[in-house]
Amino acid sequence: MNRKDFLKWFGLGGVGLLGTASIPALIARLRGAPVDQSGPLCFGPAPTDPTAATGSGFALGDDGMGNGTGLLRRTGNAYGSMVHPPSGLHRNYLSSFERPLKEEHGEWLFAGTSNDGASAKLEDRYLPPFSRAKSGVRDIEVRTINRPVNVAHGTSFNAWTFNGRVPGPVIRATAGETLRIRLRNLTNEPHSVHFHGSHDPNQDGWESIPGGTDTLYTIKAGPVGVHPYHCHVPPLALHMAKGLFGTMIVDPPGGRPPAHEVVLILSGYDLQNRGRNDIYSWNGLAGFYDRFPIRVNVGELVRVYLVNMLEYEPVASFHLHAQTFDVFRSGTKLQPDDHTDVITLGQTERAILEFRLPYKGRYMFHPHQIHMAERGAMGWFVAV
């Protein structure tokens, strides 16, 4: 920052907005000294990527986390999220939440695979497709594992996970199929798996399963739609906020029209154990879809399975810029309930959205609770 920029910033009242925790960093920046860039709200330029829609900026706050009236942001590009994703990720890292109409070619890196993705089967790379189990029965294993997960730039969270990731795996079935879900609790805490939807109450998953044990749930997949699942052991808010949640898609027997499908699960992270979210994410990584936009073809049908799994927030919304969408509330009907550009969801509410992007360009999406967007839950669809 040169003298002219500083005086201009000072004239806007910038110093008066700074919290005391931020003053040393500002002085260091003015002197040209290195600045600590750890944490989700970083100062320096983030790694560039040719597929990225934006670059980076910096943020300051009263508490060093971007909270309070001391919040500032400056970006060196058209727009940017204050909270950046973990460094070193490939744009296809979250491919298990997306299924293009056609497989992409070229360089691929997938979570849990070799560097070239060669060890990953096609069905493991993407969101599972519509299919019918030949026997009418699907066997699924869900494991509870405690582990640290990288959730933002320089930020690790001690999570309770299903199968080692937050959110847990997307489960997909066809209505009427029998699901046999084996829960293996590999932790010392009691846990469970509760599925939303319609099933035998004796298989509801609210009972605690002690650490080091396992159990089997048998349910019928239904009704048609998108349904969350999560741990239901008290204190429920803690178990969900720590990461024990996921999504199940139940397809109609004939499937839905072919589309570019994307699961978007909104959640937050309480980094300071105070019952309040500090950063927000789609599919577990803050700022990921700001850095790595969801790429779709112009004019193709896009289907979003949208799920609100925030704890500590009574309501959240989803807004798509420059386009409107059909809304299928919970996805339980095959005809849309509404057509709009913003939808509001309470905790664990969900919807299926369908739209087409008619022009090449970037289409921003985010919650219209702006603090969520600014702290990691802003992203882009890019029509090519």
Side-chain angles (χ1 to χ4, degrees), residues 134-301:
K134 292 182 179 179
S135 65
V137 177
R138 292 182 189 264
D139 289 299
I140 299 163
E141 182 171 286
V142 177
R143 303 177 302 280
T144 56
I145 302 168
N146 294 352
R147 62 180 295 265
V149 294
N150 292 324
V151 298
H153 176 75
T155 306
S156 181
F157 180 77
N158 292 321
W160 296 352
T161 77
F162 287 131
N163 291 7
R165 298 189 68 181
V166 179
V170 177
I171 296 172
R172 191 163 195 171
T174 301
E177 291 179 337
T178 297
L179 305 183
R180 294 191 299 217
I181 302 116
R182 173 69 62 181
L183 171 64
R184 298 181 61 202
N185 186 356
L186 304 181
T187 75
N188 295 323
E189 300 86 10
H191 292 303
S192 68
V193 181
H194 162 64
F195 284 85
H196 286 223
S198 177
H199 46 254
D200 184 341
N202 295 311
Q203 303 291 311
D204 195 39
W206 58 265
E207 304 94 337
S208 298
I209 306 302
T213 65
D214 63 274
T215 192
L216 180 68
Y217 304 101
T218 302
I219 65 175
K220 289 283 188 182
V224 166
V226 55
H227 310 293
Y229 65 86
H230 56 84
C231 181
H232 212 292
V233 172
L236 177 57
L238 174 64
H239 284 242
M240 292 181 64
K242 292 285 282 184
L244 288 172
F245 58 85
T247 291
M248 178 174 69
I249 298 170
V250 180
D251 291 305
R256 295 179 185 270
H260 186 126
E261 296 187 313
V262 182
V263 172
L264 287 177
I265 304 172
L266 180 64
S267 63
Y269 293 102
D270 175 9
L271 301 178
Q272 302 179 56
N273 297 314
R274 56 183 177 175
R276 171 179 159 188
N277 292 316
D278 298 297
I279 59 176
Y280 300 83
S281 71
W282 295 106
N283 297 336
L285 293 179
F288 184 85
Y289 294 115
D290 173 35
R291 179 67 49 77
F292 304 107
I294 300 168
R295 300 191 302 186
V296 302
N297 293 320
V298 169
E300 73 179 356
L301 181 64

Side-chain angles (χ1 to χ4, degrees), residues 35-47 56-57 65 82-89 149-156 271 279 285-288 291:
V35 178
D36 181 10
Q37 296 184 17
S38 62
L41 304 173
C42 54
F43 285 82
S56 66
M65 287 296 300
M82 289 187 307
V83 180
H84 307 144
S87 60
L89 297 183
V149 294
N150 292 324
V151 298
H153 176 75
T155 306
S156 181
L271 301 178
I279 59 176
L285 293 179
F288 184 85
R291 179 67 49 77

Side-chain angles (χ1 to χ4, degrees), residues 88-106:
L89 297 183
H90 189 271
R91 67 180 180 87
N92 303 115
Y93 186 78
L94 294 182
S95 61
S96 60
F97 294 95
E98 184 176 358
R99 188 166 193 87
L101 278 169
K102 296 181 180 179
E103 180 185 6
E104 293 190 39
H105 297 281

